[in-house]
Amino acid sequence: MESKSKDPLHGITLQKIVETLVDYYGFDTLGELIPVKCFNSNPSVKSSLTFLRKTDWARKKVEDLYIKTLPRLSNPD
């Protein structure tokens, strides 16, 4: 019997999370939801990944937002 992870982030890279959130919200809204410089000042996926990999609290906020956004991604109205 195959056991499936209950973790919604299992197997998803930070890059995929950031790209998905940027596609869904855009950097402007993302910067309002999570007010960090990497989303508000000259934002890019690359600079965001660099910051988030070094900053645990910010990465946690991004991961939490991704989890909250998942239902909307699978059922776009």
Side-chain angles (χ1 to χ4, degrees):
M1 191 159 106
E2 200 174 311
S3 65
K4 190 173 181 184
S5 174
K6 301 227 186 286
D7 180 4
L9 299 175
H10 180 77
I12 300 174
T13 64
L14 182 59
Q15 181 172 352
K16 178 67 176 164
I17 291 171
V18 171
E19 289 172 347
T20 300
L21 291 174
V22 169
D23 288 345
Y24 188 79
Y25 292 108
F27 276 114
D28 288 340
T29 303
L30 201 51
E32 291 174 15
L33 295 170
I34 305 171
V36 290
K37 191 174 180 180
C38 68
F39 295 147
N40 291 313
S41 178
N42 197 19
S44 72
V45 171
K46 184 178 180 184
S47 67
S48 298
L49 290 173
T50 300
F51 174 75
L52 294 171
R53 286 182 178 130
K54 295 177 185 174
T55 315
D56 290 339
W57 64 265
R59 180 180 181 142
K60 174 84 171 109
K61 286 185 179 226
V62 168
E63 290 172 345
D64 289 346
L65 179 61
Y66 179 78
I67 291 168
K68 287 179 194 169
T69 305
L70 275 177
R72 290 184 239 159
L73 295 172
S74 56
N75 296 326
D77 290 302

